[in-house]
Each structure stands twice: as C-alpha cells, then as structure tokens.
Amino acid sequence: MGRRGVNTRKGLLRATLPVLRWLPPRTALRTLDAIGRQEYRLVPATRKRFDEAIRTHAAILGEDWDPARIGPALAANQVRSSVRDMLLDDRTDAQINDLLRVEGREQLDEAVGQKRGVLLLGNHFGAHMLMAYWIIWQGYPWRMFSERPRSISKLMAAQFATEGPIGQSRLFVSRKTNPAEAAGAILRAARVLREQIVLSIASDVRWPTPPNAPARFLGRSYRFSSTWVTLAALSGAPVVPAYCLIKPDGTYSVEFEPAFTVPREAARDETLAAHWVQHGLTLIEERVRRDPANSIDYFFWEDDEARPRPSGPPMAAAG
C-alpha cells in the first residue's frame, strides 16, 4: 500500500477507535477484520499489491498459496495488528482470558525456573504487542529491549514508565544511538537478565551496521542485528521463541516454543553469531509457511529498500 493509503487507513482507525472501545472485544476486533477485508476487495491497487506479494513469496518458498484466500486475511490482520493492544483497555479479566489463548506456557515457566533470566525471542509476526500485554497482565517480571512503541494500552504505558537502574524507561533505544550509548544499553539489558527478569527482544531487525550478521529470510539476503545473540551468549539465559497469532474469530494465540541456549563463543565468533541469527529467522520463516496471513509486513519488505537507513548501532525495533 502506498503512503497515501497508509495515511488514509491510520485516519480511519483513529476515528473509529473510540467507538470500537465501547463494543465487546471480539466484536470490535471482528470489525477491524472486516475493514481490512473490505479494503482488499474494494481497492484494486491494494488487492493487486497483496496478490503479487503473495504469489512472489509462494514461489520463493515453494508453497501453493491462493491469493484470493490469503489476501483478505492478510489485509485484515494488518489492520488488527496496527491497533496493537489498545482495545484491551478497561476490559475485565474474563474478557481478556477469552481473547488471549496460550499454548506452551510450561516452556516459559520452565525457563523462568532456571533463575538465569529469560530472553524472550520476539518478532514482528502476527500481533507481537499482545504477547507482551499478556506477560505483563500475568505478572511476570518483564522488560523490552527495543525502540519505544507508540499507541499502546494503559497497562503497557504504566509498565514503560518504570524508572530505576533496571526500569523499562532506560531500556528503550533509538536509531540515532551512538556507540557509547548502545554499549550502555546492552549492559543494562544484561543486568536485567541477571536480575532474573524476562527480557523481550526481536530477532528480525534488519540493520546495516555492526554488530550484525548476514542471513537469508524469505528468499532475500539482509544484514540483521545480532544483539540478541550477544546477550544470550554472554548471559547464558535460556532463549524462548514466542509468537502471537491473530485468529479470524477475534481472538489471539500466544505461543511459547521450547527454550534453547546460545554458546558463549557466539559473543565473539562472527561466524557462529551468524549461525544463530539465521536460526532465529528460520524459526519465523517456518511460521510464515504455516500461516502466511500472519506475515503482516514481511511480504512487503522490498518496498522499504529505497527508504533511508539508520546509521546508528542495531537494536530491536518496536514494530
């Protein structure tokens, strides 16, 4: 979708969000779903762009995807992901339990039980901010190592305002961060893990400057941030891949996979670091194969290639 289309969608969502908050949660989310599907059906340029992207990536991955089936769902999921967790404000526990289904919680709890902190390996597949909401709501000690997300729920905003040496406010990073500031941020993140806190960081952040590593994702080569590999290697914390799938019935599926550890040598061996960066991306690519409608923006990365790139050190993008 072009810039004008993006701005039109954002304006529509800003106008409808106050109304959607008055609706039952599933009804509100199904309404957003319908907005995306109608956009796909009624805007020829949008439909053409989606269909071409789906065909291209189906060929790359060797999948037999039908754009007429996946396109409307992908458009709907893009709209739902854009409101992040804002529709969860002022909902009851019963309503949130009804919306957020969880699989593999035992994987997360087992990693927490090791008392070495947990590196929660996030991504921009599906509705990643809803996973963060669930973790906070469940009372896990949690921080995020990323740029500061905007347009978030009141629960998330309160979490982001926490101060102190290991408070969330000092773990946000900027694409304009200089090397000294970046090193300080990584040290603070390492301290968070030593304090046995769950730390979220994305594994799919493209970045052209070190520390990074080359890897392939969906048939194309990029350089990705290797910050998560460095933190996992230096801390010895278990790494738990995690996802949040958008479901067409107005719910979400928060899923935790079995933990793995990164050898300490990966912190100083560029070849080994690149192996682990590729491993993290391969896990996401397998998810895309199984559920392309939750790929959100991955199929449109090519559209970003001509945009200016940041010059600072790589961190985790907020998405």
Side-chain angles (χ1 to χ4, degrees):
M1 168 184 315
R3 179 57 48 192
R4 180 178 298 177
V6 170
N7 290 338
T8 299
R9 176 189 283 180
K10 287 182 177 178
L12 176 62
L13 292 176
R14 279 196 298 267
T16 59
L17 200 59
V19 176
L20 293 174
R21 286 193 171 111
W22 285 96
L23 298 175
R26 284 208 198 188
T27 303
L29 291 166
R30 285 196 294 265
T31 300
L32 289 173
D33 187 286
I35 290 173
R37 291 175 184 273
Q38 285 295 95
E39 181 180 24
Y40 173 86
R41 293 190 181 100
L42 300 178
V43 183
T46 296
R47 184 168 60 253
K48 179 181 178 182
R49 178 169 175 261
F50 274 64
D51 288 354
E52 288 178 350
I54 292 166
R55 289 191 188 97
T56 296
H57 289 85
I60 289 170
L61 296 175
E63 298 291 336
D64 185 22
W65 292 337
D66 178 7
R69 179 181 64 84
I70 295 171
L74 177 57
N77 289 346
Q78 279 195 352
V79 173
R80 279 181 58 180
S81 70
S82 68
V83 300
R84 297 184 170 171
D85 62 342
M86 290 187 290
L87 286 177
L88 299 187
D89 279 339
D90 304 317
R91 304 297 187 178
T92 66
D93 285 354
Q95 287 175 321
I96 295 173
N97 265 321
D98 180 58
L99 290 178
L100 301 178
R101 313 296 175 77
V102 182
E103 295 183 18
R105 181 172 183 167
E106 67 278 6
Q107 316 281 8
L108 175 62
D109 289 342
E110 181 180 346
V112 169
Q114 295 182 35
K115 300 187 182 302
R116 290 183 290 160
V118 175
L119 201 154
L120 198 65
L121 197 60
N123 47 71
H124 295 84
F125 179 84
H128 57 287
M129 293 301 293
L130 273 293
M131 175 181 62
Y133 185 101
W134 179 86
I135 289 173
I136 298 169
W137 179 62
Q138 286 293 306
Y140 288 90
W142 175 85
R143 300 289 186 272
M144 173 187 284
F145 191 55
S146 77
E147 294 180 292
R148 186 186 185 100
R150 307 296 176 183
S151 302
I152 52 177
S153 68
K154 291 185 284 190
L155 178 70
M156 191 78 69
Q159 168 73 23
F160 287 174
T162 56
E163 302 285 350
I166 57 173
Q168 179 62 65
S169 61
R170 299 196 66 196
L171 287 170
F172 289 125
V173 295
S174 167
R175 292 181 181 267
K176 298 179 181 179
T177 301
N178 63 45
E181 292 169 333
I186 291 173
L187 288 174
R188 287 192 291 275
R191 180 175 179 180
V192 163
L193 290 171
R194 288 196 300 272
E195 294 292 329
Q196 302 179 23
I197 292 172
V198 177
L199 179 68
S200 287
I201 185 169
S203 61
D204 56 0
V205 180
R206 294 167 291 163
W207 213 281
T209 56
N212 62 5
R216 288 186 65 80
F217 183 62
L218 299 180
R220 301 195 73 190
S221 296
Y222 306 95
R223 297 194 73 87
F224 291 86
S225 170
S226 56
T227 304
W228 76 266
V229 175
T230 301
L231 282 170
L234 293 177
S235 68
V239 180
V240 177
Y243 307 87
C244 184
L245 282 63
I246 302 170
K247 296 293 188 177
D249 64 354
T251 65
Y252 299 89
S253 178
V254 178
E255 300 181 5
F256 301 100
E257 294 189 344
F260 61 86
T261 56
V262 174
R264 193 169 185 83
E265 294 77 17
R268 57 180 179 272
D269 185 325
E270 291 184 359
T271 301
L272 191 54
H275 163 80
W276 286 103
V277 168
Q278 183 65 69
H279 177 68
L281 293 162
T282 299
L283 293 176
I284 302 171
E285 191 167 291
E286 286 303 310
R287 287 279 178 162
V288 173
R289 286 179 181 275
R290 288 151 49 188
D291 189 357
N294 265 288
S295 65
I296 310 301
D297 293 324
Y298 291 147
F299 292 171
F300 307 101
W301 273 10
E302 294 88 338
D303 298 346
D304 297 333
E305 288 300 290
R307 296 181 185 176
R309 291 296 184 187
S311 58
M315 294 295 176

